[in-house]
Structure formats: C-alpha cells, structure tokens
C-alpha cells in the first residue's frame, strides 16, 4: 500500500491522461488491464520521492573519488553514524547516488504542528529543512526549541498565520522549531532563514544546503543522462535553448573541459542570473548566458561579426539541447497537480516553435537533443513523430547511455523508432520504500538498477541533421 495518496489532478486533466494511458496502440500491445495497472502504478509513484538522491560531481574541480569521500563523511555526520552507502554509477561516471531511507512508518506525531506549502513539503521529502518562507501555519504556542510535527498543505487551502488547520495535510516528519510562532508571523520584514530543522523526516535524505557547493550539483538522474547523450566535444559551439537554472549548461561545459562555447538562453532575467551564478560557483568560463526568448533566437538579417549574443545566424551551432518548457508531470514527489487542461495542452505548440528554431540553428551533421520532464504523449512521442514528418532531413539516432525504457506507444511511431527513444517511467518500479536492513542486504548492481528506474518521469530524443534544408 502506498504511504501517500495517489497524485490528484483537475477532473478534465484526469480524463485527458486516462485517454493517453489507455490509447488504442497501448491497449493492443499490453491489454486493457495491464495498461490500467501501469497507469495506476504511475499515479502512485508520482506522489512519492525517488528512491535515490543523485548528485553530479563537478569534475572540473574535483575527482569523483575525492568528492565521494567527502560526501560519505558529510552523510555520516548528518545521519549520526548511520551507514548509508554512496554509490558510483557504472554508466554515468560523474554522478553519485545516495539511497533514500523510507517511508518511516513508526514516527510519533507531536501535538505542536507546523504546516508548510506544497513546494516546501516536496523539498522536505527530498532532504531539505524547512525555511521560514515555506511556513504557512504554526500551532498557537510554538516556541523556539520546541519539537514539532511538520505537515504539507498539498491543496493550498491553509490560511497564512492560522493557528490550526483541519484540511487535507500530509505528514512529513518531525523537527525542532528554530523560531517562535510570533517571530515567524509577526516580523516587520519577511524572514528568510531556517524555520524548522528536520530531525525525523519520513524520508531520510541528506541535506545539501551549502554542502560542498563547488564540487556537487544536485540533479535528477535523467537530467544528467541528457548531457551525456548530447556528448559535447571540446572546442564546439553548443546552444542550451532553455537553460535555467543551469544544471545542464554547467554539465555540458564540464564535459567539454571548459573548452569551446556554451550559449545558455532563458527568457526570464532572474533565471539567467541563476545560470551565471552557478557557472561562477563551479568555476566554468565557457558559458555565456543571455536573457532571450528562444522562439526568436534565429536571425532573419545578417549579423554583425562582433555580435556575441542572440539572435543567431542559421547553422551556427554544432550541437543543441532543447530541454523544453513542459507540463512537468514527471516531477516527483507531487501529490496535487494544479494546472488546467488548457495549461497542459499549451506546451505542444510552444515546443514546436522552439524545435523549429533549433533545427534551423543547427549545422548539417549536428546533433539536436530534445527532452522534457513530463509523461504525456503530446509533448514527447507525438513531437518526435511531428518532427520526423516536418523535417525529413532529421534522423532519429541511438542514445548512449540508454538507461531508461523505450518510447510509449500511441503516437504512430514504429517499434524501431520507439527503441531509439528514452522514456524514464516511474511505473516500472513496484518497490514501496527502503529501510536500513533491506539496503544492507541489497547487491550494488540491484541498487543501481533501481536508481535507473525509480527516478522522475522524463523523456529524451536524439536527432542528427543530415543536410541543409
């Protein structure tokens, strides 16, 4: 039985997804009952965090072995001597995997409560402490130093400053309040510091707040896979079209040994600042970040030779990563998805505009990798089918490493084409949690296999441009 309720959607979104995961191609291949079982499993898995925390080592500054040693010491300190391994991945040799212990079902709940918003709650389930901006409510007499139980208001119905909340709330674990209730809610200016230090979280994951910040980058496993598939080479000119907050851009620069040029674009100025800060923190100099709308990144006029930023001339880039804006339904944990059907279906046309620009900016013989962190057909396999029809000089290409499953049926792609795609599907896992005993009894190969499957929902397609249009 799942520890948390299945993810909930607005009714029209639920109807939409039901049709997606019971499409005729899928039912013909699996049968109606198996298709339904996989869909229900997916809904259950999405509300739970992945079984592993994944960190990418900044190999520009540190070796994996050295970072692993420092991280193991940090985790022992945080977990008070509990022996949780730090694993190296055999195919992704710049990441480290830390198993997540939980859900812990025997934690005692305390009368003093702190209610946090949904996003803060999801961060807590992946190892974070509670910071004051995430706190929505606290019991009447909470003082600094009190033991409190922390809950997530997954539906967003708790009023800020409430003294109690009787609505739908999910238990996240116990912690020690760093502030009194009056300090949290009566401050003349908004506080930003630590609100509750988690000491008994339902899911035990290390906190990465200021932990080896120049050496380690917290990143979901499929997000690391993407950069390896693009496989940038030193000296090349690379475009990351939707780059914020910079995880993939900094990874690309690292894989190139900081030699060449990574153009990182995003249309939101504050997000571009984040890309620049991450590049600076990781000491990568080949990244140039620009605040620019990717749909307008193709120059229709001749560029000046000295012009550095967008828009760019056709066929300017050796490789392009389009990690497209998407409906984000693959993100975990997520217990209540609030977007409307209109919002969900608005991404496909935007993705096609960005893809069209990417194809025109790519040199003949160049590589284009398209990825999303969502589970729909319309943003994934349907986009591949559209791209192959719209741009006959694009060819699907095998992906290396290929760690996820193949593409999902339903978009009219052939079996051979589906095998060239990579879909990370949380429904592939039936495991309901991990305790310290089962962890110690597990073989390392089995743990790696679990990490490959029990991650966020994600999709990757790799194209080669065979000639000029």
């Amino acid at each position: 039985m799942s520890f948390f309720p299945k993810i909930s959607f607005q009714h029209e979104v639920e109807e939409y997804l039901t049709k997606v995961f019971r499409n005729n191609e899928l039912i013909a291949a699996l049968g109606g009952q198996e298709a339904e079982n996989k869909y229900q499993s997916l809904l259950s898995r999405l509300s739970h965090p992945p079984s592993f925390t994944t960190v990418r080592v900044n190999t520009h500054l540190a070796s994996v072995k050295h970072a692993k040693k420092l991280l193991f010491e940090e985790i022992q300190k945080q977990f008070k001597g509990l022996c949780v391994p730090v694993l190296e991945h055999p195919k992704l040799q710049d990441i480290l995997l830390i198993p997540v212990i939980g859900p812990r079902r025997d934690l005692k709940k305390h009368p003093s409560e702190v209610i946090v918003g949904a996003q803060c709650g999801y961060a807590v389930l992946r190892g974070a402490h509670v910071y004051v901006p995430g706190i929505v409510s606290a019991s009447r007499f909470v003082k600094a130093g009190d033991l409190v139980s922390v809950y997530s208001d997954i539906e967003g119905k708790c009023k800020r400053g409430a003294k109690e909340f009787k609505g739908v709330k999910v238990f996240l674990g116990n912690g020690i309040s760093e502030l009194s209730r009056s300090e949290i809610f009566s401050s003349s200016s908004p506080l930003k510091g630590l609100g509750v230090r988690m000491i008994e979280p339902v899911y035990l994951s290390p906190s990465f707040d200021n932990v080896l910040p120049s050496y380690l980058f917290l990143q979901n496993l499929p997000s690391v896979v993407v950069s390896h598939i693009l496989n940038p080479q030193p000296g090349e000119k690379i475009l990351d079209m939707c780059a914020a907050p910079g995880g993939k851009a900094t990874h690309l620069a690292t894989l190139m040994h900081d030699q060449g040029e990574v153009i990182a674009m995003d249309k939101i100025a504050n997000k571009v600042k984040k890309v620049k800060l991450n590049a600076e923190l990781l000491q990568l100099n080949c990244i140039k970040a620009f605040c620019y709308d990717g749909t307008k990144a193709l120059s229709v006029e001749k560029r000046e030779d000295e012009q550095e930023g967008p828009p760019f001339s056709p066929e300017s880039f050796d490789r392009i990563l389009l990690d497209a804006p998407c409906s984000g339904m693959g993100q975990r944990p997520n217990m209540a998805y609030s977007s409307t059907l209109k919002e969900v279906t608005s991404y496909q046309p935007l993705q096609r505009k960005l893809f069209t620009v990417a194809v025109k900016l790519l040199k003949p013989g160049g590589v284009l990798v398209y990825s999303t962190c969502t589970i729909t057909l319309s943003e994934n396999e349907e986009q591949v089918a559209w791209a192959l029809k719209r741009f006959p000089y694009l060819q699907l290409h095998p992906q290396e490493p290929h760690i996820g499953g193949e593409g999902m049926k339903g978009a009219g792609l052939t079996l051979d084409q589906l095998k060239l795609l990579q879909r990370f599907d949380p429904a592939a896992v039936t495991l309901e949690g991990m305790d310290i005993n089962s962890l110690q009894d597990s073989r390392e190969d089995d743990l790696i296999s679990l990490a490959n499957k029990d991650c966020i929902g994600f999709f990757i397609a790799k194209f080669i441009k065979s000639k000029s249009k």
Side-chain angles (χ1 to χ4, degrees):
M1 189 177 97
S2 293
F3 188 79
F4 297 130
K6 291 175 183 175
I7 184 173
S8 65
F9 298 96
Q10 293 198 18
H11 179 67
E12 57 183 2
V13 175
E14 191 169 342
E15 284 189 333
Y16 169 77
L17 285 178
T18 299
K19 289 176 183 174
V20 169
F21 286 90
R22 294 177 188 156
N23 72 71
N24 292 338
E25 274 189 67
L26 208 53
I27 287 176
L30 299 177
Q33 190 58 54
E34 179 62 19
E36 176 65 17
N37 291 345
K38 280 178 69 68
Y39 177 48
Q40 294 302 324
S41 174
L42 175 64
L43 298 184
S44 175
R45 299 307 299 163
L46 288 174
S47 66
H48 295 72
S51 291
F52 289 78
T53 300
T54 307
V55 289
R56 175 171 58 81
V57 178
N58 178 19
T59 52
H60 180 58
L61 296 181
S63 70
V64 173
K65 295 289 184 191
H66 181 55
K68 179 180 178 179
K69 177 178 178 293
L70 295 176
L71 180 56
F72 182 75
E73 291 168 356
E74 172 66 27
I75 290 172
Q76 280 212 308
K77 198 190 322 176
Q78 286 191 28
F79 290 179
K80 297 182 170 50
L82 190 65
C83 193
V84 174
V86 176
L87 307 175
E88 296 179 50
H89 196 291
K91 290 188 176 180
L92 301 168
Q93 294 174 349
D94 50 4
I95 70 165
L96 297 170
L97 298 164
I98 305 104
V100 174
I101 307 300
R104 301 194 286 174
R105 301 171 187 270
D106 56 349
L107 299 179
K108 177 187 174 185
K109 296 176 183 177
H110 300 284
S112 289
E113 297 182 0
V114 168
I115 311 294
V116 301
Q119 293 306 316
C120 176
Y122 301 149
V124 169
L125 289 175
R126 298 200 71 174
H129 295 294
V130 174
Y131 287 82
V132 177
I135 298 176
V136 182
S137 161
S139 295
R140 187 181 301 270
F141 300 112
V142 168
K143 303 184 301 297
D146 282 359
L147 199 58
V148 296
S149 286
V150 178
Y151 295 82
S152 174
D153 167 29
I154 59 173
E155 295 181 340
K157 293 185 177 178
C158 181
K159 290 185 178 178
R160 181 167 175 77
K163 296 181 175 68
E164 64 175 356
F165 178 56
K166 299 293 187 183
V168 177
K169 57 189 180 185
V170 171
F171 179 57
L172 306 176
N174 301 316
I176 296 172
S177 182
E178 297 287 310
L179 301 166
S180 68
R181 174 188 162 81
S182 61
E183 287 174 309
I184 294 169
F185 294 112
S186 302
S187 174
S188 55
S189 59
L191 297 176
K192 292 184 179 179
L194 190 62
V196 179
R197 181 164 43 87
M198 298 300 295
I199 58 169
E200 292 180 328
V202 163
Y203 279 92
L204 187 60
S205 298
S207 168
F208 281 87
D209 183 29
N210 209 29
V211 172
L212 306 172
S214 294
Y215 286 179
L216 300 177
F217 197 97
L218 203 56
Q219 204 166 3
N220 288 302
L221 184 143
S223 298
V224 177
V225 173
V226 166
S227 299
H228 283 287
I229 288 167
L230 190 66
N231 193 26
Q233 299 300 306
E236 290 184 331
K237 188 172 182 178
I238 311 294
L239 176 62
D240 185 351
M241 286 189 79
C242 307
K248 297 178 184 71
T250 55
H251 192 192
L252 295 171
T254 304
L255 292 174
M256 296 163 66
H257 308 296
D258 205 24
Q259 297 169 25
E261 195 174 9
V262 176
I263 301 294
M265 286 195 313
D266 202 278
K267 67 177 184 178
I268 299 173
N270 284 340
K271 290 186 175 183
V272 175
K273 285 182 187 174
K274 186 68 174 171
V275 175
K276 291 178 178 178
L277 286 172
N278 278 324
E280 188 178 332
L281 180 65
L282 302 178
Q283 297 181 33
L284 294 161
N285 299 312
C286 77
I287 297 173
K288 295 174 182 175
F290 298 96
C291 184
Y292 208 82
D293 182 346
T295 64
K296 301 172 183 175
L298 179 70
S299 177
V300 293
E301 299 174 359
K302 187 172 172 61
R303 278 170 51 106
E304 299 296 328
D305 288 343
E306 66 273 8
Q307 185 181 330
E308 190 176 52
F312 301 102
S313 299
E315 301 182 351
S316 292
F317 293 92
D318 298 292
R319 298 172 200 257
I320 296 177
L321 171 60
L322 174 52
D323 185 49
C326 70
S327 57
M329 289 187 190
Q331 294 291 359
R332 298 173 60 193
N334 189 353
M335 298 173 205
Y337 185 84
S338 60
S339 294
T340 64
L341 183 59
K342 184 178 180 181
E343 289 168 331
V344 169
T345 54
S346 70
Y347 288 99
Q348 190 191 67
L350 171 61
Q351 291 159 354
R352 291 185 178 182
K353 285 181 184 177
L354 289 163
F355 195 98
T356 299
V357 172
V359 172
K360 291 177 180 177
L361 289 175
L362 188 65
K363 293 177 180 178
V367 177
L368 169 58
V369 170
Y370 172 84
S371 63
T372 73
C373 57
T374 198
I375 58 175
T376 68
L377 271 173
S378 64
E379 298 169 79
N380 296 330
E381 288 84 356
E382 281 185 17
Q383 298 294 52
V384 171
W386 164 81
L388 293 174
K389 186 176 180 181
R390 172 72 178 78
F391 307 103
Y393 45 89
L394 281 186
Q395 297 170 340
L396 271 182
H397 207 262
Q399 299 182 33
E400 182 57 41
H402 202 294
I403 289 170
E406 60 188 40
M408 190 169 89
K409 295 177 177 67
L413 296 170
T414 68
L415 291 177
D416 285 342
Q417 288 171 329
L418 291 175
K419 287 175 183 176
L420 293 174
L421 305 176
Q422 197 160 185
R423 180 182 268 258
F424 290 83
D425 178 11
V429 178
T430 55
L431 178 79
E432 289 294 349
M434 186 160 25
D435 59 31
I436 196 68
N437 293 325
S438 64
L439 175 61
Q440 289 171 347
D441 291 341
S442 299
R443 294 169 57 243
E444 185 166 322
D445 287 354
D446 293 334
L447 291 174
I448 297 294
S449 176
L450 177 61
N452 290 341
K453 292 174 182 159
D454 195 16
C455 50
I456 65 170
F458 206 87
F459 177 83
I460 310 172
K462 179 180 180 180
F463 301 89
I464 302 286
K465 182 176 180 179
S466 60
K467 62 177 182 178
S468 193
K469 62 183 179 60

